């Protein structure tokens, strides 16, 4: 059967592809040029691109016209530089609103607000053009100039409507939920970045107090009564807070530091401040030793009960002997340990 379809002249274009080529048993991938059919022109897209180009050019001409026209009106009350600079804002405003409407094309509420603002700004620009024509004695030119802005605005509206795609209600809701989720993640990232910056500033403030620090890390595996010294930031923060309010209780200090992102516990505060509580005193039978033991007896008693952490030991000794010195307690602990 004869082919009844008309023969379409084929056009080809040179393209490059990578193929395997073997020489002497060794295979390499090398580029190869070949002729492929050339796709037919997409006249719909070509026309749309052309119209878009016309809209862009019209927008530029519109801004130039309104700036010149309205600038001459404003120059009667302001220097030329200021007058023409302000005149350039009139059409720039509605063009910017049109661009925002395009960006919000998948968010109908925001798009409607942008379009409404665009038409309002266009109305203001048109009014200014007509007023300029009336005051300058060429009202007809002012009206015709106003229609330039109207025409460009309408053209832009049609172009955006052509480029945009209307979503069905279910897809629209899906898109909005995706955008909401992404916006929430972005907001959380912004908050976390701010918290990290402010916590760093708080830590730097406490470090500036030049409180002696150590490099030990907390060890949660140690039993109660043998806490590892707190890290440098906590030590500095606790001591700075005590300097501000020496009468504050450990619980109050813990609460205040938590507000600025520094986490600690009352026992750590007591150890760093030289305080202790009745529970710790009862645990180590310290209440009965007040007024009877000397410092050496108290240190020996606590070391035998397994208290080896220097800060905890000092805090407990000071519970019995308020004037106990740090060096004295350490020296006795090394001797009786």
């Amino acid at each position: 059967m004869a082919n009844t379809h008309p023969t379409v002249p084929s056009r080809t274009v040179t393209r490059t592809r990578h193929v395997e080529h073997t020489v002497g048993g060794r295979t390499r991938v090398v580029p190869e040029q070949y002729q492929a059919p050339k796709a037919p022109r997409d006249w719909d897209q070509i026309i749309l691109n052309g119209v878009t180009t016309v809209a862009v050019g019209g927008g530029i001409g519109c801004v130039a016209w309104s700036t010149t026209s309205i600038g001459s009106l404003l120059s009667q009350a302001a220097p030329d530089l200021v007058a023409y600079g302000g005149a350039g804002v009139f059409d720039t405003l509605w063009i910017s609103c049109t661009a925002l409407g395009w960006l919000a094309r998948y968010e109908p509420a925001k798009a409607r607000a942008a379009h409404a603002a665009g038409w309002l700004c266009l109305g203001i620009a048109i009014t200014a053009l007509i007023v300029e024509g009336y005051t300058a004695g060429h009202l007809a030119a002012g009206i015709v100039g106003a229609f330039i802005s109207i025409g460009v605005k309408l053209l832009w509206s049609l172009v955006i409507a052509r480029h945009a795609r209307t979503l069905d209600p279910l897809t629209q809701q899906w898109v909005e939920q995706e955008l909401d989720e992404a916006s929430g993640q972005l907001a959380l990232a912004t908050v976390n970045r701010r918290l990290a910056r402010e916590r760093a500033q708080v830590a730097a403030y406490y470090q500036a107090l030049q409180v002696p620090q150590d490099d030990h890390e907390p060890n949660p595996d140690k039993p109660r009564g043998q806490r590892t010294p707190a890290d440098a930031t906590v030590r500095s923060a606790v001591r700075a807070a005590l300097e501000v309010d020496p009468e504050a209780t450990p619980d109050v200090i813990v609460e205040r530091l938590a507000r600025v992102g520094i986490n600690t516990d009352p026992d750590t505060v007591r150890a760093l401040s030289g305080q202790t509580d009745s529970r710790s005193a009862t645990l180590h039978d310290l209440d009965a030793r007040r007024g009877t033991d000397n410092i050496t007896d108290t240190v020996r008693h606590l070391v035998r009960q397994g208290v080896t952490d220097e800060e905890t030991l000092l805090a407990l000794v000071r519970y019995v002997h308020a004037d106990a010195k740090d060096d004295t307690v350490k020296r006795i602990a090394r001797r009786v340990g």
Side-chain angles (χ1 to χ4, degrees), residues 13-19 30-36:
V13 61
T14 301
R15 295 180 179 173
T16 302
R17 60 188 174 191
H18 288 80
V19 298
V30 298
E32 177 189 45
Q33 291 187 339
Y34 69 101
Q35 298 296 315

Side-chain angles (χ1 to χ4, degrees), residues 264-317:
T264 185
D265 56 82
D267 289 337
T268 299
V269 175
R270 292 187 187 97
L272 294 174
S273 62
Q275 304 175 26
T276 188
D277 57 5
S278 58
R279 180 178 54 185
S280 299
T282 302
L283 177 65
H284 297 291
D285 300 324
L286 297 182
D287 289 315
R289 296 179 178 275
R290 281 184 164 179
T292 60
D293 277 1
N294 57 33
I295 295 179
T296 302
D297 293 336
T298 304
V299 172
R300 181 182 294 110
H301 170 73
L302 292 170
V303 170
R304 287 175 179 176
Q305 291 202 0
V307 180
T308 58
D309 176 65
E310 292 181 351
E311 290 178 349
T312 303
L313 179 62
L314 179 61
L316 292 172
V317 170

Side-chain angles (χ1 to χ4, degrees), residues 108-179:
K110 294 181 180 179
R112 284 193 295 270
H115 293 324
W119 285 109
L120 175 62
C121 293
L122 176 64
I124 295 173
I126 291 172
T127 302
L129 288 169
I130 295 175
V131 169
E132 188 278 331
Y134 176 77
T135 57
H138 44 75
L139 180 60
I143 295 175
V144 172
F147 276 105
I148 295 177
S149 295
I150 296 174
V152 173
K153 171 64 175 175
L154 291 174
L155 179 59
W156 265 112
S157 299
L158 294 173
V159 170
I160 289 177
R162 179 65 186 180
H163 279 284
R165 293 290 182 270
T166 302
L167 303 178
D168 63 86
L170 294 180
T171 303
Q172 180 64 52
Q173 294 180 47
W174 182 88
V175 169
E176 290 177 357
Q177 291 181 17
E178 288 290 303
L179 291 173

Side-chain angles (χ1 to χ4, degrees), residues 216-220 227-231:
H216 297 289
E217 293 295 333
N219 186 354
R227 296 178 56 84
T228 300
D231 62 44

